[in-house]
DNA sequence: GGTCGGTATGTTTACGTCAACATATTGAAG
DNA sequence: CTTCAATATGTTGACGTAAACATACCGACC
């Protein structure tokens, strides 16, 4: 008899019910604090927002009530009213890569100083879909602005960004109207190539980063221009993928050509792989071949042959990104729209004049 | 006469006014979509949340209205009601450090797959205040859970975490009741030291990471235990700070001691600096001294002497962190509370048997 | 000693969403 | 044809906060 009854009920319930569990969280609200302190919730709000028109005695009462209850303002409710989130979005490719990691860290530091948190979305594939997904998630009005650390080129010419969302592009395309922050790659490349030519090398080979990287492309372009301007022959471009492995592979090739006396690698990791290949092939650095990198990673100075490279100050980039974003968020329109950070050539032991007898 | 008038007015205004500008943002809301589609906003809500009890014709109408207006759900309003944010917090120290960057990237990847975004807070100083500030910002109920990539030890024994906030600790202290994910540092260390002892070295020196790092401490402890268990003498511990520079410094010292035939550096960067110092001092690797590292950074295989090291799979760590966090967020209590990831010894060319004549 | 300007506080309302409840419509079983 | 359950939709209210508006009080000035 009871078995029949059991079957009858229960069917109406999971019909329209959401799969989520209930909030059930019991954070104290302003109302709780207000009750405890014997004031209105608006006064609590004033104290929470540090307004000046609150009597100091009242303020004390409220503060101690907050303390006692462990009150924390509810970001969601606040954001709903103010339209501000206290968060910046960062969309970036592979953070395992040195430059991107440093940039992210710098942005996060700068953001923290401005009392913003950083909502990070990593993008693995360089497809439009992946980037769009990352943006969509951030664009759900949960950040006040987005830094796009573009670095890699996409198949699509332009992303559709919501007009009301402040955006800053770092290390990326400049063919758009968003403010952007970049290292002056051309300057960096130029200083390396000039340095090597100045040492007496007939020309400088270039081990470039992947074709789909903005930075790699700019470094390569500046390399070519510097050679051309100096009247030096332009050797064929060699491509790597930023990894030490790819530098090694390219190095095996380059080591076989006696006419190669100077190589400018587009980053330090590739320079390391390159040096290893040269070493294996019995060509000394910088005796037979001069090698220069780009980035100045922490260990560049401590390689068997300390690496001549280009130092980049990521801290400054992060600060600039956040500053430009805050300009937009807070409605300032008088700030600059482009900030370039000058990299600095650091000359160590991996570059030297070519041996008198060589190919020149 | 007019000059007097000017002074009189204006004083009431900036009294209670907030310094912020108005929202003024005009995103369409569910109500707008509802009006356009000719349904109630609740029906729009149902469509937005992909509920099943909506007529397909109605659903189409709503969807096209959303499309036309460019509607995006408002995260803040949703979060206010549901108590969920679709965001995970990550609190981490220096992201410039290889391991932390890789961990962050892996967590971000795993989070993205679960359709969560990642709210990143970098902590620079290892002071309680800095960490507390980072937590406070995240704890403002704007994330559903927090991964603390602890790595460095703090002066305070325990952080006060809100009980309702799911937390996972990665790479940190185990003296708490939060689920945690770690590499099995002891296993990694043990395999390196055993490897070196097995090659015939009388003992193995250790170039440790900073004393305030959990990982460094565990690697050092396991190093000591392995030596003790094998009956090998325990040389004095040498400390570095993870950087190639510190490895170089320590290396200058170690190179002077002829009894040093094998050194286990707590990370690859220090191993690089160390090798450079040995090289400068005319001691060959691995001929005179064997060197092993920890991390297996991308370029470890492409150093002049490819480095024997311990490979760590950060992807897996990230996946585990997110999985454990989601377990808590979604109320699953049957999952594991601790996940260890096994690192793998990678033997390359920097380790070999000692020369017959040496000190043994 | 009353008007006035200023300060401290309280009251009301709206932000956008979703859960709970209410209602209309449909179809099937008795 | 009635009864009942299931489905589709609408209505109301609440989440926690801060802006806008309202009130109470205090001191100063003429």
């Amino acid at each position: 008899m009871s078995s029949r009854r059991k079957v009858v009920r229960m069917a109406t319930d999971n019909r329209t019910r959401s799969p989520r569990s209930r909030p059930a969280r019991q954070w104290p609200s302003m109302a709780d604090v207000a009750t405890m302190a014997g004031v209105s919730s608006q006064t609590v709000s004033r104290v929470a927002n540090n307004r000046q028109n609150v009597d100091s005695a009242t303020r004390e009462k409220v503060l101690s009530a907050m303390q006692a209850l462990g009150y924390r303002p509810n970001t969601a409710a606040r954001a709903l009213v103010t339209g501000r989130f206290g968060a910046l979005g960062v969309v970036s490719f592979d953070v395992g890569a040195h430059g991107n990691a440093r940039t992210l860290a710098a942005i996060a530091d700068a953001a923290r100083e401005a009392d913003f948190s950083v909502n990070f979305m990593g993008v693995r594939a360089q497809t439009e879909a992946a980037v769009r997904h990352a943006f969509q998630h951030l664009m759900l009005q949960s950040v006040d602005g987005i830094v796009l650390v573009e670095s890699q080129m996409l198949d699509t010419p332009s992303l559709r960004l919501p007009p009301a969302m402040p955006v800053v592009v770092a290390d990326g395309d400049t063919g758009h109207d968003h403010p952007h922050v970049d290292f002056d790659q051309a300057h960096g490349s130029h200083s390396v190539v000039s340095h090597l030519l100045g040492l007496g090398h007939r020309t400088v080979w270039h081990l470039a980063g992947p074709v789909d990287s903005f930075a790699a492309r700019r470094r390569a372009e500046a390399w070519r221009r510097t050679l051309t301007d100096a009247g030096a022959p332009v050797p064929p471009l060699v491509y790597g993928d930023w990894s030490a492995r790819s530098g090694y592979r390219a190095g095996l090739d380059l080591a076989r050509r006696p006419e190669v006396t100077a190589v400018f690698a587009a980053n330090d990791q590739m320079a390391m792989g390159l040096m290893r290949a040269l070493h294996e092939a019995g060509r000394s650095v910088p005796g037979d071949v001069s090698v220069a990198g780009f980035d100045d990673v922490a260990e560049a100075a401590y390689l068997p042959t300390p690496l001549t490279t280009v130092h980049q100050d990521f801290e400054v980039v992060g600060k600039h990104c956040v500053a430009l974003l805050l300009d937009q968020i807070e409605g300032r329109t008088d700030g600059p729209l482009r900030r370039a950070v000058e990299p600095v050539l650091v000359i160590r032991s991996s570059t030297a004049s070519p041996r008198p007898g060589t190919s020149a």
Side-chain angles (χ1 to χ4, degrees), chain A residues 164-249:
Chain A
M165 179 65 70
V167 171
V168 168
V169 176
D171 204 17
D173 192 7
T174 53
H176 52 74
D177 51 353
H178 297 291
H180 53 272
V181 179
D182 284 288
F183 284 113
D184 189 339
Q185 309 284 0
H187 177 84
S189 269
H190 176 80
S191 61
V192 171
V193 178
S194 298
H195 163 64
L196 287 165
L197 291 177
L199 285 171
H201 293 273
R202 186 166 158 263
T203 189
V204 177
W205 290 60
H206 184 45
L207 173 48
V211 280
D212 56 9
S213 158
F214 287 108
R217 176 170 291 208
R218 279 187 214 131
R219 289 171 200 182
E221 276 166 6
W223 158 79
R224 184 185 307 274
R225 195 166 342 108
T226 307
L227 288 182
T228 310
D229 288 355
V234 178
L237 201 48
V238 182
Y239 285 102
D241 63 4
W242 294 134
S243 75
R245 178 188 195 79
S246 71
Y248 175 77
R249 291 234 175 104

Side-chain angles (χ1 to χ4, degrees), chain A residues 30 33-34 39-49 62 66 71:
Chain A
M30 281 191 168
V33 176
V39 298
S40 76
S41 67
Q42 182 56 28
T43 299
V44 178
S45 171
R46 284 190 258 258
V47 172
N49 288 25
V62 171
M66 283 177 170
Y71 169 78

